[in-house]
Amino acid sequence: MSFDRLTAATTSTAHIGLGLAAVGRPGYINVTRDLGEPGARTPEALRERTHELLDAAYAQGVRYFDAARSYGRSEAFLAEWLTARPHVTDVVVGSKWGYTYTADWRIDAEAHEVKDHGLATYERQRTETHALLGDRLDLYQIHSVTADSPALTDKELHARLAALAAEGVTVGLSTSGPGQADAIRAALGVTVDGEPLFRTVQSTYNVLETSAGPALADAHDAGLTVIVKEAMANGRLAGADAPAVLRELAAEQGLGSDAAALAFVLRQPWAGAVLSGATTVDELSGNLHAVTLDLDEERVARLDALVEEPEAYWRHRAALPWH
């Protein structure tokens, strides 16, 4: 399985991945995102920024890179970086299908992406991803599955995904919304010819939203690799606006709240990879300090008061603007 390379990696940061959602397109949901001047949002500028981040991440031991069809040009930027660096052969490359990017490189678009988990969308987007990443693609996930998604019951789609797995590409899914646990457990029951279809699950988990934790533990026990996204709650846990207790806990060890937020997730025994969504090299370096932060039981207990009800958390997230 492709994620064996993460398990075997000797770098301390191998279990932190770099997600490209915030640098593959000009608009994104993150309250602390700052790309600088307007000129920093052109495709050329974001390509340069993405490559700079990928260089810094790789140099500091990061070995998982996460893209998606709906992340603007993230797959193209990543593919160009890989092509220019043929010596980089020890990374795991993941992408996702199921959302189509529709913003046409505008921040004020009425809709930035459109969701469709149908077979026709899979076939189209798989062809698009292959044209960019080719054989460098290790993992292909269904993007933002919920318990009522047709992707969990479409047998023809399952057969196509199993065929992809037979070609050597790991098949997984990501989840979103207050019912993540239900979607994860439903996915664990999906089989093709008696064999589990999904080998990874990528879910939101952070100090504000922990409801998927038990289901992610079940997924891990079932042999799936767990990838955690939105560990910083779309920027709510980073910088001066982070909750006071998180900032204080991090400051006790001379670090930023972003490192503490990531450390909280990294300490979960089921967490195989935890994504950084950094947009600058400095942000990335701050995130990577998470591996040095000591979060014992007493410190974790101080964070308990931050947990929100899942419905409230996801309502707040849905109200965040694209910028």
Side-chain angles (χ1 to χ4, degrees), residues 115-132:
K115 183 177 181 178
D116 185 341
H117 287 164
L119 180 60
T121 296
Y122 166 72
E123 296 287 7
R124 172 174 58 83
Q125 294 196 315
R126 169 63 186 135
T127 298
E128 293 166 347
T129 296
H130 183 74
L132 293 168

Side-chain angles (χ1 to χ4, degrees), residues 10-323:
T10 57
T11 63
S12 61
T13 52
H15 291 276
I16 296 180
L18 178 62
L20 303 180
V23 290
R25 53 192 170 183
Y28 183 59
I29 304 173
N30 191 301
V31 296
T32 59
R33 182 181 189 242
D34 183 8
L35 293 179
E37 298 300 319
R41 297 176 186 266
T42 65
E44 295 74 22
L46 285 178
R47 177 189 296 108
E48 182 177 350
R49 182 181 291 252
T50 300
H51 289 184
E52 181 182 34
L53 280 165
L54 289 166
D55 280 335
Y58 186 78
Q60 295 178 79
V62 175
R63 292 296 181 266
Y64 177 61
F65 300 129
D66 177 86
R69 286 303 305 145
S70 63
Y71 296 169
R73 301 190 183 182
S74 63
E75 288 182 330
F77 295 164
L78 177 55
E80 291 162 356
W81 183 81
L82 290 166
T83 299
R85 292 156 182 80
H87 63 283
V88 176
T89 60
D90 58 342
V91 299
V92 177
V93 174
S95 193
K96 296 178 287 295
W97 71 272
Y99 273 96
T100 299
Y101 178 65
T102 58
D104 195 28
W105 216 256
R106 292 170 49 203
I107 300 173
D108 60 349
E110 183 175 343
H112 288 257
E113 51 193 15
V114 174
K115 183 177 181 178
D116 185 341
H117 287 164
L119 180 60
T121 296
Y122 166 72
E123 296 287 7
R124 172 174 58 83
Q125 294 196 315
R126 169 63 186 135
T127 298
E128 293 166 347
T129 296
H130 183 74
L132 293 168
L133 290 168
D135 293 337
R136 295 306 304 266
L137 182 72
D138 297 295
L139 167 64
Y140 211 35
Q141 300 186 111
I142 311 174
H143 203 163
S144 293
V145 172
T146 53
D148 60 353
S149 171
L152 294 173
T153 56
D154 187 336
K155 299 300 184 183
E156 187 174 358
L157 173 63
H158 296 169
R160 300 292 180 88
L161 291 172
L164 179 64
E167 296 173 9
V169 177
T170 299
V171 171
L173 74 158
S174 73
T175 65
S176 61
Q180 287 189 110
D182 292 336
I184 294 165
R185 292 194 168 104
L188 293 179
V190 176
T191 61
V192 175
D193 295 332
E195 294 295 324
L197 175 61
F198 301 114
R199 306 311 307 162
T200 69
V201 59
Q202 180 170 315
S203 299
T204 296
Y205 183 90
N206 56 59
V207 299
L208 303 178
E209 217 302 45
T210 60
S211 65
L216 292 172
D218 290 345
H220 175 268
D221 291 344
L224 278 70
T225 297
V226 174
I227 305 166
V228 176
K229 62 185 175 75
E230 299 181 353
M232 248 118 38
N234 297 91
R236 294 175 62 193
L237 301 175
D241 293 329
V245 64
L246 189 66
R247 287 186 280 114
E248 292 163 3
L249 187 150
E252 291 171 2
Q253 300 185 49
L255 297 173
S257 60
D258 58 328
L262 282 167
F264 172 81
V265 182
L266 284 167
R267 75 185 300 276
Q268 307 305 319
W270 39 258
V274 182
L275 296 182
S276 161
T279 59
T280 69
V281 170
D282 285 345
E283 285 179 359
L284 176 65
S285 296
N287 290 178
L288 295 181
H289 279 108
V291 299
T292 70
L293 197 148
D294 179 23
L295 276 186
D296 56 21
E297 294 297 333
E298 183 275 331
R299 290 187 171 101
V300 171
R302 290 161 58 186
L303 300 176
D304 287 346
L306 297 179
V307 176
E308 300 176 358
E309 289 296 322
E311 292 77 9
Y313 175 88
W314 289 96
R315 280 197 304 271
H316 187 128
R317 186 189 184 283
L320 295 175
W322 290 76
H323 67 87

